Amino acid sequence: MSARIKIAYGDHAEQFGHLYLPPEPVDASTPVVVVIHGGFWSGQYGSNLGTQFARAVAGAGAVAWNIEYRRVGAGGHWPEMRSDVLAALDVVAGAVQHHAPAGIDDVRVIGHSAGGHLAVWLGGETGSKVRPSRIVSQAGVLDLEPRGASGRTNPAVEALLQARYEDDPALYRSASPAARAPIGIPTICLHGSEDVQVPVAQSERYVETARAAGDDAQLTTVPGEDHFAFLNPDSRCWALSLDAVLGGSGG
């Protein structure tokens, strides 16, 4: 089992991540995989959701950086959250290098559900010290703006942004990955066909929008699997996630 190293990237109790190192020594050719957990942006869920996948990534030969961040009910809302994921990404070029001098030019980001939202949103940030080479969204919430006849927004999104869409549509657009395309980073969206928590239409619309804007975006829909299959090592979603984030690394 991979050793776990805790690294703080801020003073708040939720500003930390766990680093997992592969069995073999790392060098500049070793990719770093940033794992962003989901859980409706809620403090009820934590980075332990990403632990098993991070260990699998390290076991396959990459460096895994499983991050925590301030969440609703655990120290933050959108301003704190976006600041934290950016800071945690930049740590790859900082404190992470002390423990794992790996390649900062091959940093891959993967996130599940709300973590998928954060992963793809990060791709639209151009001022970070580290620029991802690849992003993988696992059933990500990729469009925060309300769609459909009802015009209703998800209560979890309202809690995250602390505003209703009709009161601040610009805020919703600024936090929505779909509104940021093109981001110029290859993006792979994975989604279970039986997902009722985050409809597969979220990934379908994002990929269509991103491609129309000129991005390299792909979608794989997994028949018969649901939202939580990405947390199950025996699922097809899990296997596809490892392939998507490790492909090209020899892992």
Side-chain angles (χ1 to χ4, degrees):
M1 183 177 291
S2 303
R4 184 176 77 175
I5 303 166
K6 184 176 181 179
I7 300 174
Y9 62 84
D11 295 331
H12 194 278
E14 303 296 326
Q15 293 176 304
F16 70 91
H18 288 127
L19 188 68
Y20 298 88
L21 305 182
E24 300 298 323
V26 305
D27 57 30
S29 67
T30 307
V32 179
V33 175
V34 180
V35 179
I36 309 180
H37 74 85
F40 308 100
W41 307 280
S42 170
Q44 296 180 40
Y45 305 95
S47 60
N48 60 305
L49 288 176
T51 298
Q52 197 169 17
F53 190 83
R55 289 193 183 280
V57 166
V63 173
W65 172 227
N66 182 32
I67 68 169
E68 189 56 277
Y69 50 91
R70 288 173 286 180
R71 305 167 311 290
V72 178
H77 291 87
W78 179 236
E80 293 80 17
M81 202 174 297
R82 71 187 182 195
S83 173
D84 283 358
V85 294
L86 276 166
L89 177 64
D90 283 345
V91 164
V92 173
V96 166
Q97 293 296 308
H98 174 73
H99 300 281
I104 61 172
D105 294 326
D106 191 6
V107 177
R108 306 161 186 201
V109 182
I110 185 167
H112 175 234
S113 192
H117 158 256
L118 294 169
V120 181
W121 183 88
L122 270 177
E125 290 295 289
T126 57
S128 57
K129 295 177 183 177
V130 175
R131 187 81 172 133
S133 61
R134 178 187 316 176
I135 296 170
V136 180
S137 168
Q138 303 166 298
V141 186
L142 304 181
D143 189 357
L144 301 190
E145 297 184 79
R147 306 291 174 186
S150 71
R152 297 174 60 187
T153 52
N154 187 317
V157 176
E158 286 193 4
L160 169 69
L161 300 180
Q162 298 179 285
R164 299 185 305 170
Y165 177 73
E166 55 265 36
D167 294 331
D168 199 344
L171 173 62
Y172 275 70
R173 285 188 60 80
S174 70
S176 180
R180 310 196 97 194
I183 61 173
I185 298 173
T187 303
I188 301 168
C189 295
L190 306 173
H191 222 116
S193 66
E194 305 306 306
D195 194 326
V196 296
Q197 279 73 27
V198 180
V200 70
Q202 282 274 331
S203 290
E204 292 171 343
R205 285 199 304 264
Y206 180 80
V207 168
E208 181 180 359
T209 299
R211 284 179 172 173
D215 271 343
D216 176 1
Q218 306 172 35
L219 169 63
T220 297
T221 302
V222 186
E225 295 197 345
D226 65 10
H227 189 69
F228 303 104
F230 290 101
L231 303 177
N232 178 4
D234 295 325
S235 72
R236 182 69 178 147
C237 283
W238 178 282
L240 288 170
S241 296
L242 281 175
D243 287 345
V245 82
L246 294 175
S249 70

